[in-house]
Amino acid sequence: MTIELIFNLAMLIFFGYCYFYIGVALPKSGANELGAEQWPQIILALLCILLVVNLYKIIRDLKEVPQEKKLTAQSLKAFFTSKLFIGIILVMVLSVLLGYLGFIPTCLLFLMSYSRLLGEKRIGRSFILSLLITALLFVLFYLGLSIMLPRGVGIFREFALMLETALTF
């Protein structure tokens, strides 16, 4: 089994679940019209069909895969310790923290963590650049686009409100 096969199977299961969940969660439309639940179901059904075709191709070509492309414990360990996987986990963790910490601390943490992941050794430089980019993004979204960013909870909310009032001239 390759990682591609496992990933395609996981997507097929997830999209199948979403297909049936949409049918249950959204109200039914009339018999002669396409309602809000049919459009996502059509897309999900097409995705599932294409995933089944791709799974067939993967299984068919699995016999021709060279030994270095086959799934082994060593290749799994290499995947789970790769920068790609650690970056994905970092994004997931910080997306959960976004509601609790708010945009500014989360963005600052994310940028510092990701720069460290990419190999930046100088913490001071990483902090200053992360702070500047966070400030730029905050000003761009809050003032330029009038998008309310997550404020966080508790002291983080108070800090975000303080910054927002300071920026409204």
Side-chain angles (χ1 to χ4, degrees):
M1 286 186 122
T2 65
I3 292 176
E4 187 179 11
L5 181 65
I6 293 171
F7 186 71
N8 278 268
L9 281 172
M11 283 195 318
L12 183 64
I13 291 168
F14 177 72
F15 292 151
Y17 167 76
C18 290
Y19 178 87
F20 291 108
Y21 180 76
I22 288 172
V24 173
L26 292 174
K28 299 286 182 201
S29 56
N32 58 353
E33 68 180 3
L34 286 175
E37 77 276 6
Q38 272 94 26
W39 289 110
Q41 283 181 326
I42 290 170
I43 293 170
L44 288 168
L46 290 172
L47 278 170
C48 287
I49 290 168
L50 292 173
L51 278 170
V52 168
V53 170
N54 196 32
L55 282 170
Y56 172 74
K57 287 170 126 179
I58 292 170
I59 292 171
R60 184 190 65 199
D61 297 339
L62 197 58
K63 297 171 187 135
E64 303 167 6
V65 173
Q67 183 61 28
E68 64 268 4
K69 293 284 186 173
K70 293 202 178 188
L71 185 63
T72 62
Q74 185 178 9
S75 66
L76 273 177
K77 182 181 179 209
F79 172 73
F80 287 121
T81 57
S82 69
K83 288 183 180 183
L84 172 69
F85 185 74
I86 294 170
I88 290 169
I89 297 299
L90 185 63
V91 168
M92 288 173 47
V93 167
L94 290 172
S95 68
V96 170
L97 290 177
L98 186 63
Y100 299 106
L101 299 180
F103 175 78
I104 295 171
T106 305
C107 186
L108 187 65
L109 281 171
F110 174 73
L111 291 172
M112 286 185 64
S113 303
Y114 215 80
S115 70
R116 179 76 175 154
L117 178 67
L118 294 177
E120 179 61 47
K121 302 275 189 236
R122 297 168 288 195
I123 294 174
R125 180 178 178 180
S126 176
F127 178 74
I128 291 170
L129 287 174
S130 298
L131 192 61
L132 288 173
I133 293 170
T134 301
L136 178 71
L137 289 173
F138 183 78
V139 169
L140 175 72
F141 283 109
Y142 184 72
L143 293 178
L145 300 173
S146 298
I147 296 175
M148 298 300 295
L149 297 168
R151 293 180 175 141
V153 179
I155 192 169
F156 299 109
R157 181 175 176 76
E158 299 299 322
F159 176 70
L161 288 171
M162 180 189 69
L163 277 178
E164 290 173 9
T165 55
L167 285 176
T168 53
F169 311 113

